[in-house]
């Protein structure tokens, strides 16, 4: 999770954008829009990844994806000579990193843990926060020392080394998945994909997480740019992303502890309001010193609630029998929002030369997402325990 696509490519985008613009003259809107096809591609492949995880396990595809991603990052850095090539090679890099998303690892953790599943998901996803804390300032340092093209290559090598070690030495697929791959009868409780897609709970989750991901996606990738526009140095702006990452870690660990004790939709609705507070601080203050840290902290808390809350609620709403596939369809909403958020912010900036209007939109849709998720009731989450006594 430390080296998934979020910390490596998505949350470093604001750091790379400034360097790419200075080097090539491409506009921010152009660079932001270049990531849209790549994000759409990873969105479309998520249900397929969910099927592959349900059928073959996480370990194999994680190892393959880590190896391919290093190649994709090298191509992205060395051969992006035009905006069109940059967009195409982003697609290649994302395609190579098809398994470097939270989906496969949420499936592994949900299969091993039941009673303390929320805590287990929170601990696992905390590493994504650590990556978000460390990789943006590392990227800034690499860009300063070697240029943005070689910085992409170095990040790819980090992913390969870390991902290969994790897949070979750390990952173990859960027992029910091992039984399935051996051809044994699957008695794991859970709804079919068709039944899940026909229910209100699925589409409520889909809409709420689509909206919140637009807000946090656009806000997190634009935050370093907002600060540099206000006179903050690029290195200081990258440090603010470290604050975001640390807040993600604290938020995910806290959320994990509480998900097992508090009704998950109500808790998630509260956390969805954190980005609205962050954007309000950016709108109502100059936010270059302590206020920037406050905004980054609340934004990090919001980022700390997305995938873990989605995976936890989905496992309780639909069960584990086809969990990988159902979560894959739900992650479509999340990644679609992450795809459109930066594009929306970038286009608004190109039109008005300010992010103010985009921030107001983000405040509104964060509040709307919170209102949607709170409509879920206990009857919508029937799988409170799958196999008592057999899971950690």
């Amino acid at each position: 999770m430390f080296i998934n696509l979020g910390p490596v490519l998505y949350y470093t985008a604001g750091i790379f954008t400034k360097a790419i613009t200075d080097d090539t003259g491409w506009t921010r809107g152009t660079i932001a829009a270049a990531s849209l096809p790549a994000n759409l591609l990873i969105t479309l492949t998520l249900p397929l990844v969910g099927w592959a995880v349900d059928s073959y396990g996480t370990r194999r595809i994680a190892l393959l994806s880590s190896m391919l991603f290093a190649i994709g990052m090298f191509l992205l850095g060395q051969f992006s000579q035009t905006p069109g090539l940059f967009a195409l090679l982003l697609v290649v890099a994302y395609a190579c990193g098809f398994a470097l998303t939270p989906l496969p690892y949420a499936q592994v953790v949900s299969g091993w843990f039941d009673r303390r599943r929320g805590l287990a998901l929170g601990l696992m996803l905390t590493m994504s926060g650590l990556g978000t804390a460390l990789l943006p300032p590392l990227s800034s340092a690499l860009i300063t020392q070697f240029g943005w093209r070689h910085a992409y290559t170095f990040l790819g090598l980090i992913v390969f080394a870390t991902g290969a070690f994790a897949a070979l030495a750390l990952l173990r697929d859960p027992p029910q998945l091992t039984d399935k791959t051996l051809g044994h009868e699957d008695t794991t409780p859970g709804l079919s994909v068709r039944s899940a897609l026909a229910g209100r709970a699925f589409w409520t989750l889909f809409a709420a997480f689509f909206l919140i991901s637009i807000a946090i996606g656009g806000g997190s990738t634009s935050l370093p740019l907002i600060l540099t526009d206000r006179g903050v140095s690029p290195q200081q702006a990258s440090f603010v992303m470290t604050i975001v990452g640390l807040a993600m870690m604290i938020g995910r660990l806290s959320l994990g502890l509480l998900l097992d004790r508090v009704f998950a939709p109500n808790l998630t609705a509260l956390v969805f309001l954190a980005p609205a507070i962050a954007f309000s601080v950016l709108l109502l203050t100059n936010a270059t010193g302590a206020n920037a840290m406050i905004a980054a902290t609340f934004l990090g808390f919001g980022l700390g609630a997305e995938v873990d809350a989605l995976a936890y609620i989905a496992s309780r709403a639909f069960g584990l029998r086809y969990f990988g596939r159902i979560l894959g369809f739900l992650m479509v909403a999340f990644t679609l929002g992450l795809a459109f958020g930066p594009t929306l912010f970038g286009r608004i900036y190109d039109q008005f030369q300010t992010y103010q209007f985009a921030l107001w939109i983000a405040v509104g849709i964060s509040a709307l997402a919170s209102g949607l998720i709170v409509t879920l009731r206990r009857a919508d989450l029937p799988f409170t325990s799958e196999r008592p006594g057999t899971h950690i």
Side-chain angles (χ1 to χ4, degrees):
M1 287 305 303
F2 178 79
I3 44 86
N4 74 70
L5 288 173
V8 174
L9 271 179
Y10 197 84
Y11 296 123
T12 62
I15 307 302
F16 277 93
T17 295
K18 183 74 172 173
I20 296 172
T21 298
D22 293 342
D23 181 45
T24 64
W26 306 339
T27 69
R28 294 180 184 182
T30 297
I31 296 170
S35 66
L36 181 59
N39 280 289
L40 291 176
L41 171 74
I42 205 70
T43 297
L44 295 174
T45 61
L46 281 170
L48 295 176
V49 174
W51 169 82
V53 167
D54 278 341
S55 302
Y56 302 107
T58 295
R59 199 178 187 195
R60 299 172 185 172
I61 63 171
L63 177 60
L64 175 64
S65 189
S66 298
M67 295 168 62
L68 292 175
F69 187 73
I71 299 172
M73 290 291 279
F74 171 78
L75 296 174
L76 175 64
Q78 300 306 312
F79 295 98
S80 296
Q81 304 301 327
T82 66
L85 272 175
F86 181 66
L88 175 62
L89 292 172
L90 270 174
V91 169
V92 172
Y94 271 75
C96 290
F98 65 96
L100 299 177
T101 72
L103 191 159
Y105 311 102
Q107 192 270 0
V108 169
V109 167
S110 296
W112 279 111
F113 292 86
D114 181 13
R115 292 190 300 274
R116 305 303 297 276
R117 184 177 297 161
L119 176 59
L121 285 167
L123 285 168
M124 182 266 288
L125 288 160
T126 293
M127 290 304 294
S128 179
L130 183 62
T132 303
L134 297 181
L135 292 178
L138 174 61
S139 298
S140 181
L142 289 171
I143 291 168
T144 300
Q145 188 68 28
F146 303 106
W148 66 272
R149 297 182 183 278
H150 293 306
Y152 273 134
T153 301
F154 279 114
L155 288 178
L157 292 174
I158 291 171
V159 171
F160 169 69
T162 308
F165 169 75
L168 292 172
L170 302 178
L171 283 178
R172 295 292 182 273
D173 289 312
Q176 63 267 36
L177 183 56
T178 303
D179 291 344
K180 191 185 299 184
T181 57
L182 292 175
H184 299 167
E185 181 183 359
D186 185 9
T187 59
T188 307
L191 299 181
S192 68
V193 176
R194 178 176 294 181
S195 297
L197 267 61
R200 183 185 73 88
F202 179 91
W203 293 107
T204 300
L205 288 170
F206 193 97
F209 280 87
F210 173 68
L211 290 171
I212 196 64
S213 62
I214 290 176
I216 62 178
S220 60
T221 56
S222 301
L223 181 58
L225 298 170
I226 293 170
L227 296 179
T228 54
D229 286 346
R230 296 179 178 183
V232 176
S233 71
Q235 194 64 42
Q236 289 175 313
S238 70
F239 176 72
V240 170
M241 290 304 294
T242 299
I243 302 299
V244 171
L246 293 174
M248 284 175 66
M249 294 175 66
I250 296 171
R252 281 180 164 160
L253 184 57
S254 302
L255 185 73
L257 287 166
L258 292 171
L259 278 172
D260 297 311
R261 295 171 171 83
V262 180
F263 186 54
N266 292 347
L267 179 62
T268 305
L270 283 175
V271 181
F272 275 8
L273 294 178
I277 297 173
F279 301 135
S280 298
V281 171
L282 291 172
L283 283 164
L284 301 176
T285 71
N286 192 35
T288 56
N291 288 333
M293 302 300 179
I294 293 171
T297 300
F298 276 102
L299 183 58
F301 280 138
L303 285 165
E306 6 86 318
V307 178
D308 17 9
L310 179 59
Y312 183 89
I313 296 173
S315 73
R316 298 309 188 192
F318 312 117
L320 294 182
R321 186 166 190 176
Y322 298 103
F323 178 67
R325 300 175 213 197
I326 296 170
L327 183 61
F329 281 107
L330 284 170
M331 289 286 290
V332 167
F334 182 69
T335 54
L336 271 178
L338 292 182
F340 284 112
T343 303
L344 174 66
F345 271 60
R347 290 304 187 193
I348 290 175
Y349 179 86
D350 283 354
Q351 182 69 30
F352 299 103
Q353 296 300 300
T354 179
Y355 288 104
Q356 296 293 101
F357 184 55
L359 290 171
W360 281 119
I361 293 176
V363 169
I365 60 178
S366 297
L368 180 57
S370 178
L372 277 172
I373 203 74
V374 82
T375 63
L376 291 174
R377 296 291 179 258
R378 294 189 184 276
D380 297 314
L381 278 67
F383 296 94
T384 55
S385 182
E386 283 78 21
R387 295 177 180 176
T390 62
H391 290 264
I392 298 171

